Amino acid sequence: MIAVEKLAAVFVEVADTLVVDFDIVDFLQMVTARSADMTRAQAAGLVLANERNQLQFMAASQESVKLLELFQLQAEEGPCLDCFRFGAAVANADLARAAERWPRFAPEAVRAGYRAVHAFPLRHRNKVIGALNLFSTSEGRIDANDGKVIQALADVATIGLLQQRAIAHGEILTEQLQVALASRVSIEQAKGALARMRRVSVDEAFTLMRTHARQNHLKLTDLALAVIHDPASQPGLTGLDLG
């Protein structure tokens, strides 16, 4: 059962993040990290649909899950695709026995060290724009009440991606989602570049970027572009000096 104090803190953080000019990629990264923190899951990933209604990777709490999300999108099978297609939560408490359902994805997930997966739709009313996936290293289902909380968080995240007019008409904000997807590419490039500069893992590089962005009131996307094109402009992060 999710502690009331932890739940309250998460929704306060979500509300604080949902400002007029919020950083969409950083917001989605926060959603995945908090979803994993609040449950027994060890990691979480999030995918969104583009303007052609094709799912694309957006955020993950760990690099291993990013690779797994990309794999299932390439294989065109897995919990996030089922969740998106049918607009309903997907629970698989034993990935070792899911090869018949997902012949390519299930063995890959097991090889990555995961034993159970749960997927929750990012939806508003009857419109689904993506999926939030929780991966566990042990078998078992998420507590039913915890599942309701995660679905509520996914619903709040969806509203954070929609403008008021789009909500009224039940439409996806194609332009905003496309900007988010483009931003994700820059951030992935910056993570790799910073990992090489600082000689740390990709996960550690991303943590450094997020911390630096928040401490210096920078958008994560703008910081990523600086790391890629002008790393010396951010010496506190990259370790490079203009002089």
Side-chain angles (χ1 to χ4, degrees), residues 37-57:
D37 287 344
M38 287 195 301
T39 65
R40 292 185 299 172
Q42 278 65 52
L46 190 148
V47 294
L48 287 181
N50 62 15
E51 80 282 0
R52 295 183 297 278
N53 219 32
Q54 298 170 329
L55 289 177
Q56 295 193 20
F57 167 78

Side-chain angles (χ1 to χ4, degrees), residues 23 42 57 62 69 77 86 90 99 108 110 134 146 155 193 231:
D23 189 321
Q42 278 65 52
F57 167 78
Q62 293 185 20
E69 294 284 21
E77 65 169 51
F86 300 110
V90 173
E108 188 68 19
V110 171
L134 300 181
D146 290 355
D155 292 343

Side-chain angles (χ1 to χ4, degrees), residues 24 48-52 161-163 166 171-183:
I24 187 171
L48 287 181
N50 62 15
E51 80 282 0
R52 295 183 297 278
L161 300 172
L162 302 172
Q163 291 178 345
E171 298 172 352
I172 295 177
L173 278 182
T174 301
E175 181 178 352
Q176 189 179 27
L177 294 182
Q178 281 303 106
V179 169
L181 293 169
S183 298

Side-chain angles (χ1 to χ4, degrees), residues 47 53-56 68-88 90 101-102 105 119 128 130-133:
V47 294
N53 219 32
Q54 298 170 329
L55 289 177
Q56 295 193 20
L68 197 53
E69 294 284 21
L70 292 172
F71 178 85
Q72 67 174 314
L73 294 179
Q74 183 178 25
E76 297 185 344
E77 65 169 51
C80 75
L81 280 89
D82 289 355
C83 181
F84 177 70
R85 288 166 181 161
F86 300 110
V90 173
R101 183 177 188 179
W102 303 311
F105 169 78
V128 182
L132 172 65
N133 308 285

Side-chain angles (χ1 to χ4, degrees), residues 86-225:
F86 300 110
V90 173
N92 188 283
D94 188 358
L95 280 167
R97 300 184 180 182
E100 184 175 347
R101 183 177 188 179
W102 303 311
R104 297 181 64 189
F105 169 78
E108 188 68 19
V110 171
R111 279 193 290 271
Y114 298 108
R115 294 294 180 269
V117 62
H118 297 75
F120 298 86
L122 269 69
R123 67 189 179 197
H124 182 72
R125 296 174 184 170
N126 63 344
K127 196 70 174 181
V128 182
I129 65 171
L132 172 65
N133 308 285
L134 300 181
F135 295 87
S136 302
T137 55
S138 59
E139 299 174 10
R141 293 180 180 275
I142 290 177
D143 178 85
N145 290 326
D146 290 355
K148 291 178 182 178
V149 171
I150 297 300
Q151 184 60 67
L153 182 58
D155 292 343
V156 170
T158 304
I159 294 174
L161 300 172
L162 302 172
Q163 291 178 345
Q164 196 62 40
R165 182 176 296 180
I167 292 173
H169 291 83
E171 298 172 352
I172 295 177
L173 278 182
T174 301
E175 181 178 352
Q176 189 179 27
L177 294 182
Q178 281 303 106
V179 169
L181 293 169
S183 298
R184 183 76 244 180
V185 173
S186 297
I187 290 170
E188 291 299 322
Q189 293 175 343
K191 283 164 57 178
L194 185 61
R196 291 191 294 272
M197 293 178 201
R198 297 291 296 270
R199 296 183 180 179
V200 297
S201 71
V202 176
D203 284 334
E204 291 171 324
F206 187 59
T207 298
L208 289 171
M209 285 176 55
R210 289 191 73 205
T211 301
H212 187 82
R214 292 188 173 190
Q215 289 178 344
N216 293 276
H217 307 291
L218 298 171
K219 280 191 173 183
L220 190 58
T221 303
D222 293 340
L223 180 60
L225 291 173

Side-chain angles (χ1 to χ4, degrees), residues 14-48:
V14 169
D16 186 56
T17 308
L18 290 175
V19 294
V20 176
D21 194 28
F22 78 100
D23 189 321
I24 187 171
V25 176
D26 190 49
F27 172 69
L28 296 178
Q29 188 66 37
M30 181 269 292
V31 169
T32 61
R34 297 298 172 263
S35 297
D37 287 344
M38 287 195 301
T39 65
R40 292 185 299 172
Q42 278 65 52
L46 190 148
V47 294
L48 287 181

